[in-house]
Amino acid sequence: MTFVGEDGDETNVEAEVGKNLLEVAHENDVELEGACGGDLACSTCHVIVPEEYYKILPEKQEEEEDMLDLAWGLTETSRLGCQIIVGPHLSGMRITLPEEDR
Ligand code: FES
């Protein structure tokens, strides 16, 4: 997988199956905040995923929707990184970090 930062810099990572994207980001020094540690109580782990991957991700829970509504730079394919669990189907995904976080 590749994280694409605010300034366009790319970080290629080996993501372990079963981890969430917030954990993967932190293990690889990618600047994704994740203030609440994955408890769906913030939107600082907001990421933008390509449409083809967005479509195959499990549906958002209501709590995730609510938190995303508060996220800066929300897009049609925004998700909370802590809620995306790595699996083989996500191999090669490019994950964009929003321009400005809250
Ligand atoms: S880290 Fe707070 S909702 Fe994901």
Side-chain angles (χ1 to χ4, degrees):
M1 293 184 174
T2 304
F3 285 92
V4 183
E6 275 179 50
D7 40 14
D9 58 322
E10 301 192 358
T11 310
N12 291 314
V13 303
E14 296 276 337
E16 203 178 308
V17 171
K19 294 212 164 168
N20 68 53
L21 286 192
L22 180 63
E23 294 172 309
V24 174
H26 285 176
E27 280 169 7
N28 290 279
D29 296 323
V30 171
E31 280 189 41
L32 185 61
E33 191 182 329
C36 78
D39 285 341
L40 279 178
C42 74
S43 57
T44 59
C45 63
H46 174 203
V47 294
I48 300 162
V49 300
E51 201 184 340
E52 64 267 34
Y53 286 97
Y54 185 84
K55 286 193 284 205
I56 58 171
L57 290 173
E59 293 270 308
K60 286 182 274 231
Q61 297 176 39
E62 209 175 305
E63 290 88 342
E64 183 177 353
E65 294 272 11
D66 292 347
M67 282 302 140
L68 275 171
D69 282 342
L70 305 172
W72 198 261
L74 188 68
T75 74
E76 295 271 300
T77 61
S78 288
R79 293 293 304 249
L80 292 180
C82 67
Q83 301 302 307
I84 300 179
I85 307 297
V86 175
H89 59 303
L90 301 184
S91 177
M93 180 162 74
R94 287 169 67 83
I95 305 136
T96 306
L97 306 185
E99 291 251 319
E100 207 175 331
D101 241 314
R102 293 193 325 135

